[in-house]
Amino acid sequence: MTNEHETPGTKSRPICVYDGNCGICTKMARWASRRSPAEFTDHADLSHRGVDDSEYEKYLIFAGETVERGHRAVGAVFKTMPWPWKAAGYVINFRLLTPVAREAYRLVASNRRRIPLWIIPG
């Protein structure tokens, strides 16, 4: 939890907002929360950081020093974890791999209701 005078997703603890109606999203957030110091939640008001309410159903949102969405948010979450997960975050957000990471995120996001939960760690 953040203290009452701290804006969520800023300063000491980043926040990761996922779609709580998505089984894969919830399971992955649970897995990541055991490895990352970020706060994971299915809702937060990040309008003061430029996040529109409609984005929460479309993208994973990561708000730390900057606000990231989609595959860049996934990379940002991994970067908050210890090695080797941190390395995965750098690979995901490596500029030359952006088209591949963006497409992989899009495919998973658009098929997330069809992917069986048993294949997801957690």
Side-chain angles (χ1 to χ4, degrees), residues 2-122:
T2 57
N3 89 34
E4 63 186 270
H5 302 292
E6 186 177 309
T7 303
T10 61
K11 297 189 181 175
S12 62
R13 191 170 184 200
I15 187 168
C16 184
V17 187
Y18 61 92
D19 180 357
N21 294 320
C22 166
I24 287 176
C25 305
T26 302
K27 195 167 182 185
M28 289 301 296
R30 195 175 315 127
W31 177 87
S33 69
R34 292 192 302 268
R35 292 159 179 82
S36 170
E39 177 184 351
F40 291 81
T41 183
D42 63 352
H43 187 268
D45 180 6
L46 295 174
S47 58
H48 64 284
R49 303 282 310 267
V51 179
D52 184 79
D53 281 345
S54 66
E55 293 183 90
Y56 296 119
E57 293 178 16
K58 293 189 273 188
Y59 305 110
L60 178 71
I61 307 289
F62 180 86
E65 290 182 25
T66 62
V67 175
E68 304 293 349
R69 295 158 176 83
H71 76 282
R72 296 198 51 81
V74 172
V77 169
F78 275 110
K79 286 180 184 180
T80 68
M81 296 178 185
W83 292 93
W85 306 112
K86 184 181 293 278
Y90 284 99
V91 169
I92 290 167
N93 285 336
F94 184 60
R95 177 170 247 124
L96 293 175
L97 296 178
T98 292
V100 174
R102 184 184 306 123
E103 183 61 15
Y105 182 87
R106 187 194 68 74
L107 282 170
V108 171
S110 63
N111 292 293
R112 63 190 176 170
R113 308 247 189 258
R114 288 182 235 153
I115 298 171
L117 291 178
W118 61 264
I119 67 168
I120 306 300

